Amino acid sequence: MSRLNVLKTYKIYIGGQFPRTESGRYYELLNKKSETVANVCLSSRKDFRNAVVAARSAFGGWSGRAAFNRSQILYRIAEMLEGRKSQFVDELILQGISKAAAEKEVLQSIDRLVYYAGWCDKYSALFSSVNPVATSHFNFSVPEPTGVVSVIAPENSGLLGLVSVVAPIICGGNTCVILASNSLPLCAVTFAEVLATSDLPGGVVNILTGTSKELHSHFSSHMDVNAIVYCRENKEEAKVIAENSSLNVKRSFTWNKDWNKEDTQDPYLILDLQEIKTTWHPIENIGIGGAKY
């Protein structure tokens, strides 16, 4: 007797939990033979709003952690991904990627997490400065996290593109809401399972599945989102995002890169999602008018 495969329903990831979409909608992911390989949630505006609430709640705790601790957690994510790499390879193959390309993508994703883990406690020293001023002050400029970042992840990279965008954002102390690839969504949800078991606090990364056509305007217009990163090539969507961002003074970035190349891992991606804070500290001006200790 032939049996039916038990297809997994890939849920979304909000606040460290795996709810179904509140809309109750899903879409069937088909392979090259037009066979259904999974059911994937079709997220709604309400799901996005719930994810933003979770990200905002997590921001204070995550940004306040020691940089070295954030580094440890990113490295732990890489460890967990390493332990489940065969599952990710299988999912990429299931979505039409060749075995060799799938294995390469998973290994690159692990290495990219390790790369940004190493930057967590270093980028601040690189991008900080002591500024010369004409008064009796020390003047320091230091980077601080922007806040909640919404991200429309690359469409043509199911795992590496997602990791390459998430890692610099959370490395810098931000929290985020991600819209995963619509055509290659499986690894994104499985990556959420990795995050949930890797000491990352719930709400730091929230992952939705669905269509950019439905959600891009909400990602760019929500008033409690501080920045948006757009990683696709739809010029119409990019225009709407830029317009919405200008209306509510939201920082907007377009990261269209070939994430397979090593030079796309860059500490300046961390800096994109940082605000520069300048502090003035009064000091005694020695040598003026005979002043001495």
Side-chain angles (χ1 to χ4, degrees):
M1 179 184 294
S2 61
R3 63 179 295 273
L4 294 174
N5 291 329
V6 179
L7 297 180
K8 180 176 179 179
T9 297
Y10 284 75
K11 300 178 183 178
I12 56 180
Y13 183 59
I14 299 176
Q17 305 295 320
F18 291 89
R20 298 178 188 273
T21 171
E22 64 82 31
S23 69
R25 301 175 302 162
Y26 72 94
Y27 67 97
E28 295 181 353
L29 185 68
L30 306 179
N31 61 16
K32 291 182 177 180
K33 298 179 181 179
S34 297
E35 299 168 335
T36 301
V37 297
N39 299 314
V40 184
C41 287
L42 196 59
S43 300
S44 68
R45 180 184 184 183
K46 181 64 164 57
D47 295 318
F48 172 66
R49 292 169 64 185
N50 291 342
V52 172
V53 171
R56 178 59 63 190
S57 298
F59 174 67
W62 181 244
S63 61
R65 287 192 176 226
F68 179 68
N69 183 236
R70 292 203 300 269
S71 177
Q72 289 175 311
I73 292 174
L74 261 75
Y75 190 82
R76 177 62 174 165
I77 296 171
E79 287 181 333
M80 299 299 292
L81 184 53
E82 178 85 33
R84 297 178 62 173
K85 58 186 176 184
S86 60
Q87 179 182 2
F88 283 93
V89 169
D90 289 344
E91 286 184 335
L92 288 169
I93 293 173
L94 193 63
Q95 296 172 107
I97 309 298
S98 70
K99 184 177 180 180
E103 290 175 345
K104 180 181 178 181
E105 180 167 348
V106 174
L107 293 177
Q108 281 185 290
S109 299
I110 296 167
D111 293 345
R112 195 140 297 174
L113 285 165
V114 174
Y115 173 86
Y116 283 107
W119 272 110
C120 286
D121 58 355
K122 299 176 182 67
Y123 74 86
S124 184
L126 177 64
F127 297 125
S128 298
S129 64
V130 179
N131 309 311
V133 293
T135 57
S136 301
H137 295 86
F138 281 132
N139 183 269
F140 305 99
S141 293
V142 296
E144 293 194 345
T146 292
V148 176
V149 182
S150 61
V151 181
I152 298 180
E155 177 62 31
N156 58 359
S157 180
L159 179 62
L160 181 59
L162 178 77
V163 169
S164 299
V165 174
V166 170
I169 292 172
I170 64 174
C171 169
N174 299 288
T175 58
C176 57
V177 181
I178 314 291
L179 180 63
S181 168
N182 184 62
S183 58
L184 301 169
L186 302 189
C187 289
V189 182
T190 304
F191 184 65
E193 296 174 0
V194 168
L195 298 177
T197 55
S198 60
D199 302 327
L200 186 75
V204 174
V205 176
N206 305 273
I207 299 177
L208 307 179
T209 51
T211 65
S212 178
K213 180 179 180 180
E214 179 180 354
L215 294 174
H216 73 276
S217 62
H218 304 311
F219 269 59
S220 56
S221 62
H222 196 294
M223 293 300 291
D224 201 29
V225 171
N226 303 106
I228 180 169
V229 176
Y230 185 70
C231 303
R232 301 185 186 178
E233 299 179 355
N234 187 308
K235 293 182 179 180
E236 184 177 338
E237 290 184 357
K239 180 181 178 182
V240 171
I241 288 170
E243 290 174 351
N244 287 346
S245 299
S246 67
L247 293 174
N248 55 34
V249 199
K250 190 189 313 299
R251 303 180 77 187
S252 176
F253 299 93
T254 300
W255 292 354
N256 284 330
K257 301 176 182 292
D258 181 357
W259 299 107
N260 294 295
K261 297 181 178 179
E262 281 196 14
D263 60 6
T264 57
Q265 55 183 29
D266 187 344
Y268 285 94
L269 295 182
I270 305 172
L271 185 62
D272 278 353
L273 282 310
Q274 299 288 302
E275 305 283 352
I276 301 301
K277 177 181 179 180
T278 299
T279 302
W280 294 71
H281 181 72
I283 57 172
E284 182 182 1
N285 197 343
I286 300 173
I288 303 296
K292 299 180 183 300
Y293 280 117

